């Protein structure tokens, strides 16, 4: 589903590469943690997958998209097939819970009657049944992240990228959020989650990809956070 072949990203000739000759594959339906210290290349990896930035050399595939040669007019299609969740939730504060999720469908031109059918289902699915009309400001951090996940999955993307989704949450809420991501994954969506959360990685025992200084230094099938 995700494949990198000898990907190097060098922002400036004078500095060390942000990604250095990285080759890896994440299969359809896999769940992988992406770990490594700040500056190790995790965000660069996500940006490459979304074609927000292009590699200096190497090849990238997401599903059937050959990302590095993708035409500009195909980029929206690529991005529609990748859901994204962030540490800071990035909800639209002026819109209700339901409107935040509906917006993701409106921008791709789904008709209102379809939207009205899907949104309550997906809110129920992430554990927000009954909260459709709340405003983001009225929600807990865990609830805001559930909205963000609902919005990210409502188009049924092939891949869900989560960039430190539990970074602003307490340990119990973090665990609950990872359970939602796990459920999304078990439905068939490939999930890659960048995290510094040792407890979660150790509890889940899923695949662990570790970056250090732009190098892929570890790839364990049922990994732990390790000494990092
Ligand atoms: P992480 O997400 O693991 O913290 P990043 O991918 O953000 O790591 O950064 C990897 C390296 O690339 C760092 O040395 C960082 O300073 C550098 N870097 C990231 N983005 C840019 C950019 N837009 N321009 C120049 N250097 C960058
Ligand atoms: P599970 O097997 O985990 O229960 P399902 O795929 O059967 O998941 O989904 C349960 C319900 O949640 C379905 O009725 C569906 O409408 C809703 N749902 C799940 N995922 C999504 C999604 N990405 N977008 C919209 N609705 C969803």
């Amino acid at each position: 589903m995700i494949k990198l072949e000898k990907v190097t990203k060098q922002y400036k000739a004078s500095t060390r590469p942000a990604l250095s000759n990285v080759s890896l594959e994440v299969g359809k339906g896999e769940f992988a943690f992406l770990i490594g210290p700040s500056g190790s290349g995790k965000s660069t990896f996500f940006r490459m997958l979304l074609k927000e930035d292009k590699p200096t050399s190497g090849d990238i595939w997401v599903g059937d998209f050959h990302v590095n040669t993708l035409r500009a007019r195909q980029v929206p299609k690529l991005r529609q097939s990748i859901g994204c969740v962030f540490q800071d939730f990035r909800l639209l504060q002026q819109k209700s819970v339901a409107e935040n999720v509906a917006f993701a469908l409106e921008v791709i031109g789904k008709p209102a009657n379809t939207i009205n059918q899907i949104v309550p289902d997906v809110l129920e699915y992430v554990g927000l049944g009954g909260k459709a009309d709340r405003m983001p400001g009225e929600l807990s951090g865990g609830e805001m992240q559930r909205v963000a996940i609902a919005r990210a999955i409502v188009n049924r993307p092939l891949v869900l990228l989560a960039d430190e989704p539990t970074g602003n949450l307490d340990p119990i809420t973090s665990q609950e959020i990872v359970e939602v991501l796990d459920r999304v994954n078990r439905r068939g969506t490939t999930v890659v989650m960048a995290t510094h959360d040792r407890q979660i990685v150790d509890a889940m025992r899923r695949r662990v990809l570790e970056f250090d200084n732009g190098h892929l230094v570890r790839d364990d099938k049922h990994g732990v956070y390790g000494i990092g």
Side-chain angles (χ1 to χ4, degrees):
M1 184 54 66
I2 295 171
K3 185 174 177 188
L4 274 69
E5 218 169 71
K6 298 183 178 168
V7 170
T8 292
K9 173 63 182 180
Q10 184 141 25
Y11 284 103
K12 283 193 229 115
S14 55
T15 58
R16 65 168 177 77
L19 289 178
S20 197
N21 201 31
V22 171
S23 297
L24 63 84
E25 237 175 291
V26 180
K28 181 166 168 49
E30 265 197 272
F31 189 121
F33 288 114
L34 189 58
I35 70 171
S38 177
S40 58
K42 305 183 296 297
S43 311
T44 300
F45 172 69
F46 282 168
R47 282 203 300 275
M48 298 288 137
L49 298 179
L50 291 157
K51 205 175 168 84
E52 289 175 0
D53 222 327
K54 59 178 183 194
T56 310
S57 59
D59 286 289
I60 301 174
W61 291 266
V62 174
D64 292 332
F65 297 98
H66 187 206
V67 178
N68 47 294
T69 60
L70 201 63
R71 305 276 184 153
R73 65 187 154 79
Q74 296 288 342
V75 171
K77 279 262 177 282
L78 167 72
R79 293 184 184 159
Q80 275 165 35
S81 64
I82 303 176
C84 291
V85 175
F86 305 93
Q87 178 170 359
D88 56 1
F89 320 127
R90 304 196 187 178
L91 302 180
L92 300 165
Q93 296 298 319
Q94 265 49 264
K95 289 184 185 285
S96 71
V97 165
E99 287 165 352
N100 264 276
V101 178
F103 189 65
L105 296 165
E106 286 161 14
V107 296
I108 59 167
K110 291 275 185 203
N113 62 336
T114 311
I115 295 176
N116 294 337
Q117 275 172 5
I118 298 177
V119 171
D121 278 354
V122 75
L123 289 177
E124 192 73 40
Y125 186 78
V126 300
L128 288 174
K131 304 248 158 110
D133 296 326
R134 300 286 177 89
M135 298 303 284
E138 303 173 318
L139 303 177
S140 69
E143 289 170 336
M144 286 193 259
Q145 198 57 295
R146 287 173 194 266
V147 178
I149 293 169
R151 182 180 59 183
I153 66 169
V154 71
N155 292 324
R156 298 189 177 270
L158 303 168
V159 176
L160 181 63
L161 303 180
D163 196 353
E164 294 194 42
T166 65
N168 283 331
L169 305 175
D170 64 69
I172 291 170
T173 307
S174 295
Q175 186 57 44
E176 291 169 356
I177 289 302
V178 171
E179 281 163 19
V180 177
L181 295 176
D182 188 50
R183 207 139 54 80
V184 170
N185 170 249
R186 288 177 193 281
R187 225 190 50 219
T189 307
T190 304
V191 177
V192 181
M193 171 173 161
T195 187
H196 292 290
D197 196 325
R198 166 185 301 272
Q199 244 182 305
I200 279 173
V201 175
D202 289 353
M204 296 282 288
R205 301 302 305 258
R206 306 297 279 268
R207 186 167 175 197
V208 172
L209 298 164
E210 181 175 351
F211 283 3
D212 189 24
N213 271 318
H215 295 272
L216 178 64
V217 294
R218 183 157 68 101
D219 182 356
D220 287 340
K221 200 164 163 47
H222 301 285
V224 293
Y225 195 81
I227 52 170

